[in-house]
Amino acid sequence: MNAQARPVDETLVRLLPKAEVHVHLEGCFDLADLLELAKAAGVGLPGPAATLFDVDTHDVPAEAPGAPKSTLSAFLRFLDWEGGLVRTPEQAARAAYRFAARESASGVRYADVIVNPTHWGAWHGRLGELFAAFAAGLDEAEQDGLAVVNLCASLLRQQTPAAAAELVDWLVEARPVRVVALSIDGDERAAGRTGPRFADAFRRAADAGIRRTVHAGESSGPQGVWDALDLLRAERIDHGVRAAEDPALLRRLVDERVPLGVCPRSNLALGLYPDRASHPLPALLAAGVAVTVNTDDPAAMGYRLEAEWAACADAYGWGLAEVAELARASVRASFAPPELAASLLADIDAFEAGRA
């Protein structure tokens, strides 16, 4: 049996050079991290330690009376609780370092990690200190031979245009180290249509040479992806799976070579689709869309990137050629420096040739 015919398992995926482009730092705290941080902060847990990541059962208050209830909104409130435990620069640097270590253990050589300052409640008014601490941790990680990681500073959909302008002003003026992109995330269904509200902020970011990646087409339909392209100048769409419902949108994604940062297991966990057979990932690939497979919030959801790629390979009949192309797509979709991207693509080619 040749290498192409062998099942794609987690070991092969770990060995395959790749990037990850849709993963949130807030979703990468392991249970031990949270227990240590909660003790240091003198904060009680929102639920039993053994079921800490079962966020639907937690006593975490809704954002406002009458706020829409959903698995996603409950999960976002849990991320607020997690981020609020980080109180010191040393803790923030350690969180970034451990993220790079987690990525490296999965064979990731480069990652764009999303950080939404609204989840880090102890740092309001100290944004520069927070991102400097993250950069320090990532610098140390790179010096130790771990994955290269850059940051995507993210808005929350419920924020105001003024808050968006404030973040973009800071990005343009301060040019924080390792911040390469502006992002926006949050529950589309709860926030309603948000593209028009943030169009000016994203335009200013684009004019200043800041890259743009936008969560869209997750809990809402294809309209969010259209807005991301038309109003927010998105270079990459995080999720984007609902684009499969609109043939015209699929053609545009293909024609403009806009990649999607898809997170299948996250979509299943948060109730978008009942199972992998129902997930539109194969349809997106068949339409010619540039698709990457990512983890979103892996620690909170209890899995790693190699497990997700192996599960997709098993569900959709992928072999070495398919996962090697998935790795290439991850690099091309990333905001990695050109020299690093070229090196990674060459390493992927060499890996595939060696295995085949």
Side-chain angles (χ1 to χ4, degrees):
M1 181 181 291
N2 62 33
Q4 178 60 33
R6 294 183 195 132
V8 172
D9 59 15
E10 293 183 23
T11 299
L12 184 145
V13 175
R14 275 195 298 271
L15 294 172
L16 177 62
K18 56 192 166 294
E20 185 166 22
V21 301
H22 183 177
V23 57
H24 299 258
L25 185 59
E26 298 90 357
C28 291
F29 289 102
D30 289 316
L31 178 59
D33 298 327
L34 294 176
L35 294 176
E36 290 175 1
L37 288 167
K39 283 182 181 179
V43 172
L45 303 179
T51 58
L52 192 60
F53 295 123
D54 296 341
V55 298
D56 281 345
T57 66
H58 291 168
D59 185 22
V60 180
E63 295 172 356
K69 293 183 178 179
S70 70
T71 301
L72 179 55
S73 61
F75 183 71
L76 293 173
R77 293 194 299 274
F78 179 68
L79 296 185
D80 289 339
W81 176 81
E82 286 189 315
L85 298 176
V86 176
R87 309 288 176 84
T88 70
E90 293 76 17
Q91 290 171 335
R94 192 51 36 195
Y97 184 97
R98 289 180 177 176
F99 171 80
R102 166 185 276 273
E103 293 292 281
S104 297
S106 295
V108 173
R109 303 272 195 89
Y110 175 83
D112 292 322
V113 64
I114 301 162
V115 175
N116 189 317
T118 67
H119 290 310
W120 304 74
W123 297 86
H124 293 165
R126 298 191 293 150
L127 201 57
E129 293 179 57
L130 177 62
F131 277 85
F134 290 149
L138 296 175
D139 287 346
E140 182 184 354
E142 191 171 339
Q143 290 164 8
D144 288 348
L146 300 178
V148 177
V149 179
N150 285 325
L151 301 161
C152 302
S154 192
L155 295 160
L156 187 67
R157 292 187 182 280
Q158 284 80 357
Q159 288 182 272
T160 64
E166 183 179 354
L167 178 62
V168 172
D169 285 345
W170 177 71
L171 292 175
V172 172
E173 294 169 10
R175 295 288 175 173
V177 176
R178 290 190 180 267
V179 176
V180 295
L182 177 66
S183 171
I184 183 169
D185 57 25
D187 190 338
E188 295 174 275
R189 183 167 48 194
R193 188 181 179 200
T194 53
R197 188 190 313 164
F198 299 109
D200 185 62
F202 274 81
R203 176 191 59 76
R204 291 166 59 198
D207 291 346
I210 297 169
R211 311 298 296 270
R212 286 89 54 211
T213 182
V214 175
H215 279 58
E218 181 191 16
S219 61
S220 73
Q223 180 61 51
V225 182
W226 283 109
D227 281 355
L229 297 172
D230 292 334
L231 302 177
L232 304 183
R233 304 190 187 187
E235 297 175 85
R236 186 172 71 219
I237 304 294
D238 294 326
H239 292 301
V241 287
R242 302 288 298 278
E245 302 167 16
D246 185 337
L249 179 55
L250 288 178
R251 287 193 296 272
R252 181 169 178 186
L253 291 172
V254 172
D255 291 344
E256 298 184 8
R257 299 181 180 179
V258 178
L260 304 183
V262 176
C263 305
R265 195 171 308 197
S266 172
N267 297 157
L268 302 185
L270 295 176
L272 269 69
Y273 304 100
D275 50 41
R276 290 189 185 275
S278 306
H279 197 280
L281 174 57
L284 293 167
L285 287 168
V289 178
V291 173
T292 67
V293 171
N294 309 271
T295 57
D296 205 1
D297 298 283
M301 295 185 181
Y303 64 100
R304 303 183 71 94
L305 186 63
E306 62 268 34
E308 178 63 343
W309 282 36
C312 286
D314 180 63
Y316 306 128
W318 294 348
L320 174 62
E322 287 80 9
V323 293
E325 189 54 38
L326 192 68
R328 293 185 188 95
S330 73
V331 175
R332 296 184 186 116
S334 78
F335 299 142
E339 301 83 3
L340 176 57
S343 175
L344 271 172
L345 290 171
D347 288 347
I348 294 166
D349 291 344
F351 179 89
E352 183 180 16
R355 288 276 162 164

